[in-house]
Amino acid sequence: MKVGLLTGGGDCPGLNAVIRAVVRKGEVRYGDELVGFRDGWRGVLDGTTMPLSVASCRGILPRGGTILGSSRTNPYKVDDGEAQVQATLSDLGVDALIAIGGEDTLGVATKLAAAGVHVVGVPKTIDNDLSATEVTFGFHTAVQVAVDAIDRLHTTAESHDRVLVCEVMGRHAGWIATYAAIAGGAAELMVPETPFDIEEICDKLSARHAKGRFASIVVVAEGATPKEGSFTVSDKGVDAFGHVRLGGIGQQVAEEIESRTGFETRVTVLGHIQRGGTPTAFDRVLSTRFGIGAIDAVHDGDFGTMVALRSDRIERVPLAEGTGELKTVAADLVDVAEVFFG
Ligand code: F6P
């Protein structure tokens, strides 16, 4: 078979490990020809490809990013995009496509599968907000990066008796923030799932510091929002999939805390550091298992599915199930973090 691969959306530690696994099992066990599409769906629209082989994938297991490149191109925002995708696949003789991506990339894959394209999805996002899988690869690495940073923030916060706000990624779901808050021993947490009350948070910080305990680490997810009426967050426009560009809530929270409590407050925005660099061992294993699961699904003709981790087994679920509903953080997990506040 000739099997195409693409990586779409924001990059994520473990993408190369998925590619390597697909190529290894495809070439060696199934005798496939593997072809990589450059820069997500853009490469499928344009027919821009690169050959993939066991030899060309050597050394990529621990490498961050994606050797294929990525973009947020949406074929359904392009005139005749769906027809262009089908034309490229048929011109190149590609029998099946493995799409590695998050909500947007797999959303496109879901529509293409409904239109008859032979596609299998692999769930990727550091945000861990895809349904149907217990975890997405990249999440574990992002959490580790955030916790390493928070461990460092603790010592400087203690030295200066400061409040340090740490902004982490998490557009619609506070998975990274909640795990980082629990593992990093944060004093406060703000997630997109529940609008936060800045006054209440400041009162709790004041009470904590009144007890003679300083150095509060406040973890805020980039998508967290204040309760209506408390203060306004800045607007930075939208991207190709219509998502609001985020960034800046940490700074605003820090300013509010300093002005309302009088405590010296600083902010650290971790940003793309959470997405770059080498994947953790956990993510390398998960990515490898997903890659093997995806090429097996292709050879079983199980198209329109996505590989998923369930009870530590790799299973296949309909693509639509993975992208249909956002997986948000359960309140009881936030409750665990809250036990340590104050
Ligand atoms: O991949 C998801 C994500 O990491 C979000 O948490 C974040 O909002 C977004 O990507 C930012 O991506 P970019 O800067 O590439 O647009």
Side-chain angles (χ1 to χ4, degrees):
M1 271 178 110
K2 188 166 181 182
V3 182
L5 273 90
L6 69 90
T7 53
D11 70 347
C12 178
L15 284 168
N16 286 325
V18 178
I19 296 167
R20 170 181 172 269
V22 170
V23 170
R24 178 83 187 195
K25 187 150 188 193
E27 186 180 304
V28 176
R29 297 282 179 88
Y30 292 117
D32 290 335
E33 181 186 348
L34 286 309
V35 60
F37 286 98
R38 302 303 310 257
D39 304 327
W41 293 113
R42 190 191 298 151
V44 190
L45 288 170
D46 301 348
T48 330
T49 63
M50 63 185 266
L52 289 170
S53 64
V54 170
S56 71
C57 288
R58 273 195 219 296
I60 67 170
L61 173 64
R63 234 169 92 186
T66 161
I67 58 166
L68 296 177
S70 193
S71 75
R72 293 192 190 275
T73 302
N74 182 350
Y76 287 95
K77 289 275 158 122
V78 174
D79 286 343
D80 285 333
E82 185 180 289
Q84 274 186 53
V85 167
Q86 284 170 324
T88 302
L89 296 178
S90 112
D91 289 352
L92 296 175
V94 171
D95 303 297
L97 192 59
I98 294 179
I100 312 164
E103 186 197 356
D104 297 328
T105 305
L106 297 185
V108 170
T110 308
K111 288 186 192 164
L112 288 171
V117 174
H118 289 170
V119 59
V120 168
V122 178
K124 163 245 62 157
T125 168
I126 64 163
D127 293 350
N128 195 35
D129 57 3
L130 286 184
S131 296
T133 183
E134 277 156 10
V135 68
T136 51
F137 72 87
F139 170 64
H140 188 269
T141 305
V143 169
Q144 194 58 54
V145 169
V147 173
D148 288 346
I150 290 170
D151 286 349
R152 290 171 186 278
L153 293 178
H154 271 291
T155 63
T156 173
E158 281 157 18
S159 306
H160 293 271
D161 287 348
R162 282 174 173 160
V163 175
L164 289 185
V165 175
C166 181
E167 181 186 306
V168 299
M169 280 188 168
R171 170 178 290 277
H172 306 294
W175 288 102
I176 298 175
T178 307
Y179 268 64
I182 294 171
E188 282 299 335
L189 166 67
M190 295 164 215
V191 291
E193 284 82 351
T194 322
F196 61 87
D197 184 334
I198 192 71
E199 200 54 50
E200 199 180 293
I201 284 168
C202 289
D203 287 349
K204 284 199 274 172
L205 287 173
S206 297
R208 169 182 162 87
H209 287 227
K211 283 186 262 173
R213 294 167 59 194
F214 301 98
S216 299
I217 305 295
V218 174
V219 176
V220 53
E222 62 178 347
T225 50
K227 269 191 176 156
E228 230 177 288
S230 33
F231 64 93
T232 327
V233 287
S234 53
D235 181 355
K236 295 187 170 180
V238 293
D239 69 14
F241 277 88
H243 298 307
V244 174
R245 281 190 219 283
L246 299 173
I249 188 68
Q251 179 62 36
Q252 293 180 64
V253 163
E255 284 167 14
E256 292 292 325
I257 291 174
E258 186 163 283
S259 71
R260 289 168 192 249
T261 65
F263 300 137
E264 204 179 4
T265 307
R266 297 284 191 270
V267 62
T268 300
V269 179
L270 293 182
H272 295 81
I273 290 172
Q274 295 157 98
R275 269 185 16 198
T278 189
T280 57
F282 178 89
D283 276 335
R284 293 182 202 189
V285 173
L286 182 59
S287 303
T288 300
R289 294 178 73 193
F290 275 165
I292 300 292
I295 192 73
D296 286 344
V298 163
H299 282 274
D300 288 344
D302 217 350
F303 300 118
T305 61
M306 176 189 103
V307 289
L309 187 75
R310 289 175 162 191
S311 303
D312 205 31
R313 287 164 48 85
I314 303 297
E315 298 188 355
R316 296 171 197 164
V317 298
L319 264 169
E321 215 179 287
T323 55
E325 205 181 317
L326 207 71
K327 186 180 69 186
T328 51
V329 179
D332 60 355
L333 192 58
V334 175
D335 289 347
V336 171
E338 274 178 7
V339 171
F340 302 91
F341 295 173

